[in-house]
Amino acid sequence: MDQALTELGDYISDTLGDVVIAKDGRLGELCLTVKREGILKILKFLRDDANCQFTTLLDICGVDFPEEDERFEVVYHLLSMTHNQRIRLKLRTDEDTPVDSATSLFNAANWWEREAWDMFGIAFDDHPDLRRILTDYGFEGHPLRKDFPLTGYVELRYDDEQKRVVYEPVKLTQEFRTFDFLSPWEGVQRMLPGDEKAEGADEDAPEKEAS
């Protein structure tokens, strides 16, 4: 972590020591792990403090670790155009505990939080309109969770006979297969059907006389 990021991280952690759990710097960005209940406090500080001025919220996304109790990591990316710096905030939550919505601080948080809800099922308290944004309103489940099936549950298509869009259970024309060898050529039979005829013909053929 370069000197500017180190000083910024120390400044934030010294000022908000009750919120910041850990800090790190990678690829020219400062990353702070924060407490879930303190997310609005640190977002407001980063936006308004003269030494920070992270006034642009670039993204809010999720990461799923299904084997852990707090399976979701919520990630915030902010930009300070004044200081030409970026910062990343991370916090942890579970399926039942909502995160405070950042819509009161950043208008852009509205759609980002809706996307996190749609894709992961991460709930946000006090969000003005928390509903699906990428999938259909009748969609079941959250497709970016690690335990969501790759095929999904239903497929949507237009029916020419009914002249409308219909939902149907997913039907695979070929059963899903998993290959446990590294190369696509490993595990292939050396003897293919029909090869035994060629070997038999070689055995039955008379040996050529030496000239």
Side-chain angles (χ1 to χ4, degrees):
M1 185 160 49
D2 61 37
Q3 184 66 24
L5 292 182
T6 301
E7 292 177 356
L8 178 62
D10 292 340
Y11 173 71
I12 297 172
S13 59
D14 291 342
T15 308
L16 299 175
D18 58 330
V19 175
V20 179
I21 299 175
K23 60 180 182 292
D24 188 18
R26 296 181 183 178
L27 302 176
E29 294 184 21
L30 176 63
C31 180
L32 301 178
T33 303
V34 302
K35 296 180 180 179
R36 180 177 58 244
E37 58 272 15
I39 184 60
L40 294 186
K41 181 178 180 180
I42 192 169
L43 284 175
K44 188 176 188 303
F45 175 82
L46 293 175
R47 184 194 66 179
D48 299 340
D49 186 82
N51 294 321
C52 299
Q53 298 189 47
F54 289 95
T55 57
T56 304
L57 177 64
L58 299 175
D59 187 24
I60 300 176
C61 57
V63 185
D64 186 18
F65 301 94
E67 69 281 357
E68 300 183 14
D69 293 334
E70 291 186 322
R71 65 181 294 179
F72 298 122
E73 186 174 74
V74 187
V75 186
Y76 301 75
H77 294 93
L78 297 102
L79 168 68
S80 172
M81 290 184 285
T82 302
H83 300 293
N84 191 26
Q85 291 179 322
R86 295 172 183 264
I87 192 170
R88 181 185 300 112
L89 305 179
K90 300 191 298 184
L91 61 85
R92 299 300 290 266
T93 190
D94 54 35
E95 298 180 54
D96 303 317
T97 307
V99 180
D100 291 330
S101 173
T103 51
S104 61
L105 300 174
F106 297 95
N107 291 331
N110 190 323
W111 281 17
W112 297 130
E113 291 176 353
R114 284 179 60 186
E115 183 177 337
W117 158 251
D118 193 359
M119 297 290 101
F120 292 93
I122 301 171
F124 293 89
D125 257 348
D126 299 323
H127 189 285
D129 187 24
L130 193 62
R131 56 191 170 94
R132 293 188 181 275
I133 189 172
L134 296 179
T135 61
D136 187 70
Y137 297 138
F139 191 88
E140 296 182 8
H142 304 280
L144 287 188
R145 288 189 177 187
K146 297 290 182 62
D147 50 10
F148 190 84
L150 294 177
T151 59
Y153 296 107
V154 296
E155 60 180 346
L156 181 149
R157 68 175 182 85
Y158 182 79
D159 190 287
D160 287 327
E161 296 181 356
Q162 302 183 46
K163 302 301 180 183
R164 66 182 182 89
V165 173
V166 298
Y167 291 90
E168 293 180 343
V170 173
K171 296 179 181 179
L172 298 180
T173 57
Q174 176 177 312
E175 184 179 354
F176 179 76
R177 297 175 297 168
T178 56
F179 299 95
D180 55 358
F181 41 84
L182 298 178
S183 169
W185 302 108
E186 294 179 9
V188 177
Q189 297 179 4
R190 294 187 178 277
M191 176 72 72
L192 297 177
D195 286 353
E196 69 280 357
K197 298 178 181 179
E199 290 189 355
D202 292 340
E203 293 176 356
D204 296 338
E207 295 183 0
K208 293 183 179 181
E209 297 181 357
S211 57

